């Protein structure tokens, strides 16, 4: 897990450990480059998270890992950072690992969405195995616009991107570590994907 000093990153680490992963929260390049897979958690706002990632020198490590085909999972703001940019921070570039922008949740709904909501799987993917219809926990005011990478949505004033996948890159807008057994199942799916490589 990439440690760039933002928010409570340890909760995601503990979730991975609960499903049997040897999870390290680190900014150490040598350890990152030996990892079977990487996780980019994030809480807060897009701009400060991107700045912190760059200040830690980990933006380049994320891009290098994805270019090398290392499985990479973004969580919450970590998922948003995979994209080209966000309306939350105009002019601030994201990692650009996935095409498209992050948009404000639609008018007419409470922002942030801070609740349990149901996953609607749009495209089969091993990350979401057994999770169609699962209830998971969201806290966000922005989400990536629907794109070919969208593999699951939730309904919140219309369909909202809840999970994405492209190549060896995955992202979830919800917090698996706060989503009970269903969230742990998703983390277990990610760990199983690494073991199968």
């Amino acid at each position: 897990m990439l440690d760039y000093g933002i928010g409570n990153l340890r909760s995601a680490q503990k979730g991975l450990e609960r499903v049997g992963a040897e999870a390290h929260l680190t900014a150490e390049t040598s350890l990152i480059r030996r990892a079977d897979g990487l996780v980019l958690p994030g809480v807060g706002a897009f701009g400060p998270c991107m700045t912190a990632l760059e200040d830690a020198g980990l933006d380049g490590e994320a891009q290098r890992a994805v270019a090398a085909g290392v499985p990479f999972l973004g969580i919450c703001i970590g998922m948003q950072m995979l994209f080209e940019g966000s309306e939350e921070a105009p002019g601030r570039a994201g990692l650009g690992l996935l095409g498209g922008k992050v948009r404000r949740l639609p008018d007419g709904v409470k922002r942030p969405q801070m609740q349990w909501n149901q996953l609607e799987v749009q495209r089969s993917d091993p990350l979401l195995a057994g999770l169609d219809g699962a209830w998971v926990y969201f806290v966000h005011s922005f989400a990536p616009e629907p794109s070919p990478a969208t593999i699951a949505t939730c309904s919140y004033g219309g369909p909202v991107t809840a999970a994405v996948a492209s190549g060896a890159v995955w992202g979830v807008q919800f917090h698996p570590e706060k989503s009970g057994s269903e969230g742990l199942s998703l983390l277990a799916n990610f760990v199983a994907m690494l073991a199968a490589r």
Side-chain angles (χ1 to χ4, degrees), residues 38-76:
L38 293 175
V39 176
L40 176 62
V43 294
F46 183 93
C49 283
M50 279 304 308
T51 297
L53 191 71
E54 291 171 359
D55 288 350
L58 296 179
D59 55 323
E61 287 303 314
Q63 290 162 331
R64 182 208 62 78
V66 169
V70 176
F72 195 99
L73 173 64
I75 296 174
C76 195

XYZ file of all heavy atoms in Angstrom, residues 38-76:
263
model
N -0.366 -3.438 -5.779
C -0.335 -2.178 -5.037
C -1.752 -1.670 -4.795
O -2.636 -1.859 -5.632
C 0.462 -1.126 -5.807
C 1.962 -1.399 -5.955
C 2.601 -0.343 -6.837
C 2.649 -1.424 -4.595
N -1.928 -1.017 -3.655
C -3.214 -0.419 -3.298
C -2.974 1.055 -2.999
O -2.044 1.408 -2.266
C -3.846 -1.116 -2.077
C -5.136 -0.421 -1.667
C -4.109 -2.592 -2.388
N -3.825 1.910 -3.589
C -3.769 3.350 -3.352
C -5.063 3.777 -2.673
O -6.077 3.995 -3.324
C -3.601 4.093 -4.685
C -3.609 5.617 -4.623
C -2.440 6.142 -3.784
C -3.568 6.212 -6.025
N -5.061 3.856 -1.335
C -6.250 4.345 -0.637
C -6.263 5.874 -0.695
O -5.279 6.503 -1.076
C -6.055 3.846 0.796
C -4.642 3.390 0.902
C -3.984 3.523 -0.421
N -7.370 6.464 -0.300
C -7.416 7.920 -0.244
C -8.681 8.402 0.429
O -9.751 7.848 0.218
N -8.552 9.434 1.248
C -9.689 10.099 1.867
C -9.435 11.599 1.796
O -8.298 12.042 1.734
C -9.901 9.665 3.336
C -10.289 8.210 3.428
C -8.649 9.921 4.169
N -10.520 12.376 1.781
C -10.363 13.812 1.740
C -10.724 14.377 0.390
O -11.795 14.085 -0.141
N -9.832 15.161 -0.186
C -10.095 15.846 -1.438
C -9.044 15.506 -2.486
O -7.885 15.227 -2.159
C -10.133 17.358 -1.208
N -9.465 15.566 -3.750
C -8.614 15.165 -4.866
C -7.302 15.958 -4.918
O -6.222 15.369 -5.011
C -9.415 15.361 -6.168
C -8.699 14.929 -7.411
C -8.869 13.646 -7.916
C -7.880 15.804 -8.112
C -8.225 13.246 -9.071
C -7.230 15.414 -9.267
C -7.404 14.129 -9.753
N -7.391 17.277 -4.866
C -6.194 18.098 -5.013
C -5.137 17.833 -3.949
O -3.977 17.540 -4.284
N -5.490 17.933 -2.665
C -4.491 17.654 -1.629
C -3.934 16.231 -1.691
O -2.751 16.023 -1.405
C -5.260 17.884 -0.328
C -6.322 18.860 -0.694
C -6.722 18.504 -2.093
N -4.764 15.251 -2.069
C -4.264 13.879 -2.183
C -3.239 13.759 -3.308
O -2.200 13.121 -3.145
C -5.417 12.898 -2.409
S -6.360 12.515 -0.918
N -3.511 14.378 -4.455
C -2.546 14.334 -5.551
C -1.248 15.036 -5.162
O -0.151 14.547 -5.454
C -3.138 14.977 -6.806
C -4.053 14.088 -7.618
S -3.310 12.506 -8.174
C -1.791 13.036 -8.970
N -1.368 16.177 -4.485
C -0.166 16.897 -4.048
C 0.652 16.053 -3.092
O 1.889 15.964 -3.216
C -0.563 18.233 -3.381
O -1.229 19.056 -4.352
C 0.657 18.965 -2.849
N -0.009 15.406 -2.137
C 0.703 14.570 -1.168
C 1.379 13.390 -1.861
O 2.512 13.022 -1.513
C -0.265 14.080 -0.093
N 0.700 12.782 -2.830
C 1.278 11.649 -3.559
C 2.536 12.090 -4.308
O 3.562 11.401 -4.287
C 0.244 11.074 -4.525
C 0.598 9.738 -5.163
C 0.522 8.600 -4.145
C -0.334 9.441 -6.347
N 2.457 13.235 -4.953
C 3.616 13.756 -5.686
C 4.741 14.155 -4.739
O 5.919 13.882 -5.012
C 3.196 14.932 -6.563
C 2.299 14.502 -7.717
C 1.705 15.679 -8.471
O 1.968 16.835 -8.091
O 0.967 15.423 -9.449
N 4.388 14.808 -3.634
C 5.409 15.221 -2.667
C 6.150 14.020 -2.092
O 7.340 14.115 -1.751
C 4.780 16.035 -1.533
C 4.357 17.434 -1.975
O 4.718 17.843 -3.101
O 3.651 18.106 -1.192
N 5.439 12.897 -1.980
C 6.073 11.663 -1.489
C 6.847 10.944 -2.590
O 7.492 9.929 -2.326
C 5.011 10.737 -0.902
N 6.757 11.439 -3.818
C 7.453 10.812 -4.941
C 6.821 9.521 -5.403
O 7.472 8.702 -6.066
N 5.534 9.333 -5.065
C 4.896 8.047 -5.354
C 4.019 8.072 -6.597
O 3.547 7.017 -7.032
C 4.081 7.581 -4.148
C 4.913 7.294 -2.887
C 4.015 6.872 -1.738
C 5.970 6.235 -3.157
N 3.792 9.236 -7.184
C 3.024 9.276 -8.429
C 3.746 8.522 -9.534
O 3.156 7.724 -10.260
C 2.730 10.720 -8.848
C 3.996 11.566 -8.967
O 4.934 11.384 -8.159
O 4.033 12.425 -9.869
N 5.041 8.736 -9.637
C 5.837 8.020 -10.636
C 5.895 6.528 -10.371
O 5.891 5.724 -11.311
N 5.931 6.142 -9.095
C 5.943 4.713 -8.757
C 4.634 4.046 -9.163
O 4.619 2.913 -9.645
C 6.202 4.510 -7.264
C 7.622 4.786 -6.835
C 8.645 3.945 -7.578
O 8.438 2.713 -7.725
O 9.643 4.508 -8.041
N 3.522 4.754 -8.971
C 2.226 4.220 -9.388
C 2.201 4.019 -10.898
O 1.791 2.958 -11.398
C 1.106 5.162 -8.953
N 2.654 5.008 -11.638
C 2.644 4.907 -13.099
C 3.606 3.829 -13.592
O 3.297 3.097 -14.528
C 2.964 6.279 -13.696
C 1.814 7.262 -13.473
C 2.210 8.712 -13.648
O 3.356 9.088 -13.414
N 1.246 9.540 -14.029
N 4.758 3.712 -12.949
C 5.715 2.680 -13.332
C 5.127 1.290 -13.107
O 5.255 0.397 -13.955
C 7.008 2.833 -12.508
C 8.103 1.808 -12.873
C 9.018 1.524 -11.701
N 8.293 0.942 -10.579
C 7.915 -0.330 -10.513
N 8.196 -1.173 -11.477
N 7.256 -0.762 -9.452
N 4.478 1.099 -11.965
C 3.907 -0.204 -11.639
C 2.838 -0.596 -12.656
O 2.811 -1.731 -13.137
C 3.315 -0.181 -10.230
N 1.954 0.350 -12.998
C 0.896 0.042 -13.948
C 1.481 -0.263 -15.320
O 1.047 -1.192 -16.012
C -0.120 1.201 -14.007
C -1.087 1.026 -15.172
C -0.884 1.284 -12.690
N 2.498 0.495 -15.729
C 3.146 0.236 -17.020
C 3.765 -1.155 -17.055
O 3.835 -1.787 -18.116
C 4.207 1.299 -17.292
N 4.196 -1.656 -15.879
C 4.807 -2.986 -15.788
C 3.769 -4.094 -15.615
O 4.123 -5.265 -15.510
C 5.804 -3.025 -14.632
N 2.485 -3.724 -15.540
C 1.426 -4.724 -15.410
C 1.193 -5.215 -13.998
O 0.537 -6.238 -13.792
N 1.697 -4.479 -12.992
C 1.467 -4.857 -11.597
C 0.015 -4.524 -11.238
O -0.431 -3.392 -11.453
C 2.428 -4.102 -10.659
C 2.129 -4.430 -9.200
C 3.876 -4.436 -10.998
N -0.753 -5.473 -10.709
C -2.140 -5.184 -10.329
C -2.212 -4.018 -9.346
O -1.462 -3.960 -8.368
C -2.608 -6.490 -9.681
C -1.768 -7.541 -10.341
C -0.425 -6.899 -10.533
N -3.122 -3.094 -9.629
C -3.179 -1.827 -8.904
C -4.626 -1.517 -8.579
O -5.483 -1.493 -9.460
C -2.586 -0.731 -9.794
C -2.257 0.553 -9.080
C -0.962 0.818 -8.682
C -3.230 1.500 -8.827
C -0.643 1.996 -8.037
C -2.940 2.681 -8.172
C -1.633 2.936 -7.779
N -4.920 -1.289 -7.287
C -6.278 -1.035 -6.826
C -6.346 0.325 -6.138
O -5.662 0.557 -5.146
C -6.714 -2.126 -5.842
C -8.062 -1.929 -5.134
C -9.217 -1.928 -6.128
C -8.261 -3.009 -4.059
N -7.195 1.218 -6.657
C -7.453 2.499 -6.014
C -8.739 2.436 -5.214
O -9.732 1.866 -5.674
N -8.730 3.023 -4.021
C -9.901 3.006 -3.138
C -10.330 4.434 -2.834
O -9.518 5.263 -2.409
C -9.590 2.261 -1.824
C -9.294 0.785 -2.093
C -10.731 2.404 -0.829
C -8.843 0.000 -0.869
N -11.607 4.737 -3.033
C -12.235 6.037 -2.762
C -11.498 7.141 -3.536
O -11.466 7.113 -4.753
C -12.332 6.299 -1.263
S -13.484 7.665 -0.874
